[in-house]
Amino acid sequence: MSRRYDTISFLSDYGTADEFVGVVHSVIRELAPHATVIDLTHGVAPFDVRAGSLALARSISYVASGVVMAVVDPGVGTSRRGIAVEVADGEGVLVGPDNGVLAPAVAMAGGSGRAVELSNPEYRLEAPGATFDGRDVFAPAAAHLCNGVDLSELGPAVDTDLLFPGVVPLPQIDEATVIAQALWTDRFGNVQLNVGPDDLPTGFGEVLEIRCSAPSDPTGGVTRAVARVRSFAEISSGAIGLVVDSNGMLSLAMDQRSAADELDLADGDQVVITALDEGAVFAPPVRVDLTARRS
Amino acid sequence: MSRRYDTISFLSDYGTADEFVGVVHSVIRELAPHATVIDLTHGVAPFDVRAGSLALARSISYVASGVVMAVVDPGVGTSRRGIAVEVADGEGVLVGPDNGVLAPAVAMAGGSGRAVELSNPEYRLEAPGATFDGRDVFAPAAAHLCNGVDLSELGPAVDTDLLFPGVVPLPQIDEATVIAQALWTDRFGNVQLNVGPDDLPTGFGEVLEIRCSAPSDPTGGVTRAVARVRSFAEISSGAIGLVVDSNGMLSLAMDQRSAADELDLADGDQVVITALDEGAVFAPPVRVDLTARRS
Amino acid sequence: MSRRYDTISFLSDYGTADEFVGVVHSVIRELAPHATVIDLTHGVAPFDVRAGSLALARSISYVASGVVMAVVDPGVGTSRRGIAVEVADGEGVLVGPDNGVLAPAVAMAGGSGRAVELSNPEYRLEAPGATFDGRDVFAPAAAHLCNGVDLSELGPAVDTDLLFPGVVPLPQIDEATVIAQALWTDRFGNVQLNVGPDDLPTGFGEVLEIRCSAPSDPTGGVTRAVARVRSFAEISSGAIGLVVDSNGMLSLAMDQRSAADELDLADGDQVVITALDEGAVFAPPVRVDLTARRS
């Protein structure tokens, strides 16, 4: 007996200006009317596989048991594979292109169990063109899984060691310096870094210095003192705080303003963190090279 | 026996570019799979408690019986309380931060019954950081209410007289002049005022004069003749109409164009309404100080 | 016995910044709690009936059986009618204003069966103003249809020959030239034309020339060589491809970039397609008059 599912959690770079998301919902509704579709987000930047994989990884420990479908797919229509990957002994199945968008979430869910390539034409929709696999390949696979079709029926098994890996940058940490990277800027302008609170050396204290720079301009950028805080509202007006965010990572933040704008930070930029004498936080903010790099 | 609910109506300033809304849905799905979540809107401007409270008040008489969750929460992580407030003899429960975002809707729903502070850790999610109470506090509270948990189990009772009040500006009205305020500009550029049709003095007739000004520039702004109309299409091309909108308030509008752009109006601006001789509507629009205030 | 439905597919130009979509969902939830509402899209440009009708036509063969509600309605509150039109022997009912927004979808679904005007006040909500028929007329009609109310109860029959027609531009095709039109630019910058692959003369080969021009500037615009491809990734960097898209139409596309931006194309622009010697594709792109027309 195969498992049935009743929730499909759906993430993509489809946006909501077009009908792509609605058509995917419609296909699922027609094939598996009992399934509920939850939109994680469709606001991933077009073609940005890395950003999509990070958003999925941030969500994965909260998504309901069932099927997860992630479609950020610049290679649609090429020989890149569509895959379905079981996790947690089959409590969940992740469906999407084999381009790394699923990989960090699979790892966070405990690693892959069985995996297949979605090549069985019986469980795909026929289509005039090969540009919308969300509709023609991934939604039907997700719906049929909800109906109790076993993973193995969707296509041939895939060696999980050969799945496309995710790319999550690791920080460089030594006693005096943490070289971090800006992973994600949210709607409010908070910038999540790829370091958690335990990654900071114990001697760093409550006030730190950050030096931000874009890969294209490593000597430019902004240098600022930042205080560690527990909430946005603890940050003084105009100051930058370093907060443990809702994913347990360190985020640069301001109180009701955008830290990303203030620091001229973009996803992928480098943020070098060093210790700073506590007195400095009471001095005016240290700024270096404030000529706007991206204006 | 406690009541069960099956609908959660959800409003926030989370936007849809990030996965915040999807994660809140996921938490509810896992805790109360029978509940349907209806997204009222997540497009409230970041941190704009007033705008969120007005959007909720405009919606409240249409939301389905059940739980309403409103999260516009610049004070997340501080000592501001999370609350749940019963209305209509428990037919509805409003859940959110105690910062005024719920207050106008509670008033429109007939005032508060029982209210509690959401402090019982049994009905919250543990989280690494205190920045996402939508996920960790409000969604679990809403889901447990749907499951039949009584309000009183979520935390200690709160004196409803001490709840944070909502701020809805009142117009100043005398026989010759109505000093109104722009409450809300919708997607189409219609500008809702804080006056209803019965607030206009009876002698005002069908053609009026409006004088718009920003708080920062009370002598600038645009003066125009406006005709009272019943539909957008009754407004002549290029003219401004005053229509009774879908909430029963007066809105400044144009036919298939943005009145907000034409009048250079922003939410919170003052709009002074006076009577005008009917002949004036056939004259060219009166404009004063058209140098763009906000360019 | 009348039919019951359990899915309402909903398209509009309401956007998601305001609560309009959420209020429509709420009205349906209260009247027909068993119905599931699927949002096709609410990102149609304000008042753009043509764009809404095309998005609905692209979706219609995928929407689940049931009610379809399309609200792009610049004439709201005037004498334009609200209608409900049966298709496919009553397997579906389309609901919306009689302004052409439903017409192409009705045609694609096999043409209209019965049709009525939504004038029965028993199945409408009373409202203070006549500006939100999505809430007051169309949502109640859709919900009551789901509950088993027969179409004929919603209002008097309408002669389907007199329904407002849709406007879908036809290409001009002869042996040497296809004069096409840009129908739709999607989020990724792909531009769908109003020609399918079988509309191209057989002698045209795999490499073509396109000449783009706006109606306002017929002699300006961009001329480029384009290669026919089967996927976006087959298109060389910086080149333009012509792909059979997910609706079976020809679309101008680039690999992970916006063809609309590169070609300075807007919806409604003319695209003249002619044959081109295959060698030309290896030469640098032909460009004419690159001074930006819309800057």
Side-chain angles (χ1 to χ4, degrees):
Chain A
M1 275 301 291
S2 190
R3 215 186 268 259
R4 290 170 60 93
Y5 303 100
D6 57 11
T7 308
I8 298 171
S9 301
F10 178 23
L11 174 148
S12 77
D13 66 346
Y14 286 159
T16 52
D18 305 304
E19 72 278 9
F20 301 128
V21 169
V23 167
V24 166
H25 278 244
S26 298
V27 167
I28 292 168
R29 178 73 177 163
E30 196 74 357
L31 292 174
H34 75 286
T36 292
V37 181
I38 289 180
D39 296 300
L40 293 176
T41 180
H42 303 291
V44 174
F47 319 119
D48 193 339
V49 175
R50 175 180 176 276
S53 75
L54 293 174
L56 190 66
R58 293 192 301 269
S59 310
I60 196 71
S61 57
Y62 293 94
V63 301
S65 308
V67 180
V68 175
M69 183 166 60
V71 189
V72 182
D73 194 12
V76 62
T78 67
S79 59
R80 74 94 190 84
R81 300 181 292 198
I83 54 172
V85 183
E86 275 184 354
V87 294
D89 285 324
E91 213 186 294
V93 184
L94 285 80
V95 170
D98 180 22
N99 62 8
V101 70
L102 304 177
V106 167
M108 289 195 65
S112 54
R114 297 185 298 164
V116 298
E117 179 175 357
L118 302 172
S119 56
N120 185 344
E122 207 176 317
Y123 297 111
R124 302 168 65 135
L125 298 189
E126 278 193 46
T131 62
F132 192 2
D133 277 2
R135 179 191 71 188
D136 302 326
V137 177
F138 302 121
H144 288 298
L145 287 166
C146 287
N147 287 339
V149 169
D150 189 73
L151 193 76
S152 61
E153 299 186 53
L154 300 178
V158 165
D159 182 345
T160 56
D161 289 342
L162 301 179
L163 293 179
F164 203 97
V167 180
V168 179
L170 294 178
Q172 297 171 43
I173 300 174
D174 65 30
E175 268 173 50
T177 308
V178 173
I179 303 179
Q181 194 183 103
L183 284 184
W184 165 52
T185 302
D186 73 15
R187 177 184 214 213
F188 304 99
N190 306 311
V191 182
Q192 186 177 73
L193 305 178
N194 63 340
V195 287
D198 299 338
D199 293 329
L200 296 191
T202 46
F204 264 30
E206 292 305 298
V207 183
L208 309 168
E209 183 182 276
I210 56 165
R211 197 169 70 243
C212 308
S213 55
S216 59
D217 180 18
T219 61
V222 178
T223 297
R224 285 285 287 268
V226 302
R228 300 191 59 174
V229 294
R230 284 191 310 173
S231 73
F232 303 129
E234 278 181 39
I235 306 167
S236 324
S237 174
I240 309 284
L242 196 61
V243 65
V244 179
D245 69 18
S246 60
N247 302 114
M249 305 299 282
L250 291 174
S251 276
L252 295 163
M254 300 184 75
D255 185 26
Q256 301 189 44
R257 284 177 51 194
S258 166
D261 287 351
E262 175 80 4
L263 296 170
D264 196 20
L265 262 179
D267 295 355
D269 282 5
Q270 190 182 81
V271 178
V272 179
I273 309 172
T274 50
L276 188 69
D277 178 62
E278 297 230 2
V281 80
F282 302 110
V286 182
R287 289 167 188 251
V288 175
D289 189 9
L290 262 177
T291 51
R293 308 195 323 260
R294 292 193 185 82
S295 64
Chain B
M1 276 299 293
S2 190
R3 217 185 266 260
R4 290 170 61 93
Y5 304 99
D6 57 11
T7 307
I8 298 172
S9 302
F10 178 23
L11 174 148
S12 78
D13 66 345
Y14 286 160
T16 53
D18 306 304
E19 73 278 7
F20 300 128
V21 170
V23 166
V24 166
H25 279 244
S26 298
V27 167
I28 293 168
R29 178 73 177 164
E30 198 74 359
L31 292 174
H34 74 286
T36 292
V37 181
I38 288 181
D39 296 299
L40 293 176
T41 180
H42 303 291
V44 174
F47 318 118
D48 194 340
V49 174
R50 176 181 176 274
S53 75
L54 292 174
L56 190 66
R58 292 191 302 269
S59 308
I60 195 70
S61 56
Y62 293 95
V63 301
S65 308
V67 180
V68 175
M69 183 166 59
V71 190
V72 182
D73 195 11
V76 63
T78 67
S79 60
R80 74 93 191 86
R81 300 181 290 197
I83 53 172
V85 182
E86 275 185 353
V87 294
D89 285 326
E91 213 185 294
V93 184
L94 285 80
V95 170
D98 181 21
N99 62 8
V101 70
L102 304 177
V106 167
M108 289 196 65
S112 54
R114 296 185 298 164
V116 298
E117 179 176 357
L118 302 172
S119 57
N120 186 343
E122 208 177 317
Y123 297 111
R124 302 169 65 138
L125 298 190
E126 277 193 44
T131 62
F132 192 3
D133 278 0
R135 179 192 72 188
D136 302 326
V137 178
F138 302 121
H144 288 298
L145 286 167
C146 287
N147 286 339
V149 169
D150 189 72
L151 193 76
S152 61
E153 299 187 52
L154 300 179
V158 165
D159 181 345
T160 56
D161 290 340
L162 300 179
L163 293 180
F164 204 96
V167 181
V168 180
L170 294 178
Q172 298 172 42
I173 300 174
D174 65 31
E175 269 173 50
T177 309
V178 173
I179 303 179
Q181 194 183 103
L183 284 184
W184 166 51
T185 301
D186 73 15
R187 178 186 212 211
F188 304 99
N190 307 309
V191 182
Q192 186 176 73
L193 304 179
N194 63 340
V195 286
D198 299 338
D199 293 328
L200 296 191
T202 47
F204 264 30
E206 292 305 298
V207 183
L208 309 168
E209 185 183 275
I210 55 165
R211 196 170 69 243
C212 309
S213 56
S216 59
D217 180 18
T219 61
V222 178
T223 298
R224 284 286 287 268
V226 302
R228 300 190 59 174
V229 294
R230 285 191 310 174
S231 73
F232 303 128
E234 279 182 38
I235 306 168
S236 324
S237 174
I240 309 284
L242 196 62
V243 65
V244 179
D245 69 17
S246 60
N247 302 115
M249 305 300 281
L250 291 174
S251 276
L252 295 164
M254 300 184 74
D255 185 27
Q256 300 189 43
R257 286 177 51 194
S258 167
D261 287 351
E262 177 78 5
L263 296 171
D264 196 20
L265 262 179
D267 295 356
D269 282 5
Q270 190 183 81
V271 178
V272 178
I273 309 173
T274 50
L276 187 69
D277 179 62
E278 296 230 2
V281 80
F282 303 110
V286 183
R287 289 167 188 252
V288 176
D289 189 8
L290 261 178
T291 50
R293 309 196 320 263
R294 294 194 184 81
S295 64
Chain C
M1 276 300 291
S2 190
R3 216 186 266 260
R4 289 170 60 93
Y5 304 100
D6 57 10
T7 308
I8 298 172
S9 301
F10 178 23
L11 174 148
S12 78
D13 66 346
Y14 286 160
T16 53
D18 306 304
E19 71 278 7
F20 301 129
V21 170
V23 167
V24 166
H25 278 245
S26 298
V27 167
I28 293 169
R29 179 72 176 165
E30 196 75 358
L31 291 174
H34 74 286
T36 292
V37 181
I38 290 181
D39 295 301
L40 293 176
T41 180
H42 303 292
V44 174
F47 319 118
D48 194 339
V49 174
R50 175 181 178 274
S53 75
L54 293 174
L56 190 66
R58 293 191 302 269
S59 310
I60 195 70
S61 56
Y62 293 95
V63 301
S65 308
V67 180
V68 175
M69 183 167 58
V71 189
V72 183
D73 194 11
V76 63
T78 67
S79 60
R80 74 94 189 86
R81 300 182 289 198
I83 53 172
V85 182
E86 273 185 354
V87 294
D89 285 326
E91 214 185 293
V93 183
L94 285 80
V95 170
D98 181 21
N99 62 7
V101 70
L102 304 177
V106 167
M108 289 196 65
S112 54
R114 297 186 297 164
V116 297
E117 180 175 355
L118 302 172
S119 57
N120 186 343
E122 207 176 318
Y123 297 111
R124 302 167 65 136
L125 299 189
E126 277 192 46
T131 61
F132 192 3
D133 277 1
R135 178 192 71 187
D136 301 326
V137 178
F138 302 122
H144 287 298
L145 287 167
C146 287
N147 286 339
V149 169
D150 189 72
L151 193 76
S152 61
E153 299 186 53
L154 300 179
V158 165
D159 181 347
T160 57
D161 290 340
L162 301 180
L163 293 179
F164 204 96
V167 180
V168 179
L170 294 178
Q172 298 172 43
I173 300 174
D174 65 30
E175 270 173 49
T177 309
V178 173
I179 303 180
Q181 194 183 104
L183 285 184
W184 166 52
T185 301
D186 73 16
R187 177 185 214 212
F188 305 98
N190 306 311
V191 182
Q192 186 177 72
L193 304 178
N194 63 339
V195 287
D198 299 338
D199 293 329
L200 296 190
T202 47
F204 264 30
E206 291 304 299
V207 184
L208 309 168
E209 184 183 276
I210 56 165
R211 197 170 68 242
C212 308
S213 55
S216 58
D217 181 18
T219 61
V222 178
T223 298
R224 285 286 288 267
V226 302
R228 300 189 58 173
V229 295
R230 285 191 311 175
S231 73
F232 303 128
E234 278 181 39
I235 306 167
S236 323
S237 173
I240 309 284
L242 197 62
V243 66
V244 179
D245 70 17
S246 60
N247 303 115
M249 305 300 281
L250 291 174
S251 276
L252 294 164
M254 300 185 75
D255 185 26
Q256 300 189 45
R257 284 178 50 194
S258 167
D261 287 350
E262 175 79 5
L263 296 170
D264 196 20
L265 262 178
D267 295 357
D269 282 5
Q270 190 182 80
V271 178
V272 178
I273 309 173
T274 50
L276 187 70
D277 178 62
E278 297 231 1
V281 80
F282 303 110
V286 183
R287 289 168 188 250
V288 176
D289 189 8
L290 263 177
T291 50
R293 308 196 321 263
R294 293 193 185 82
S295 66

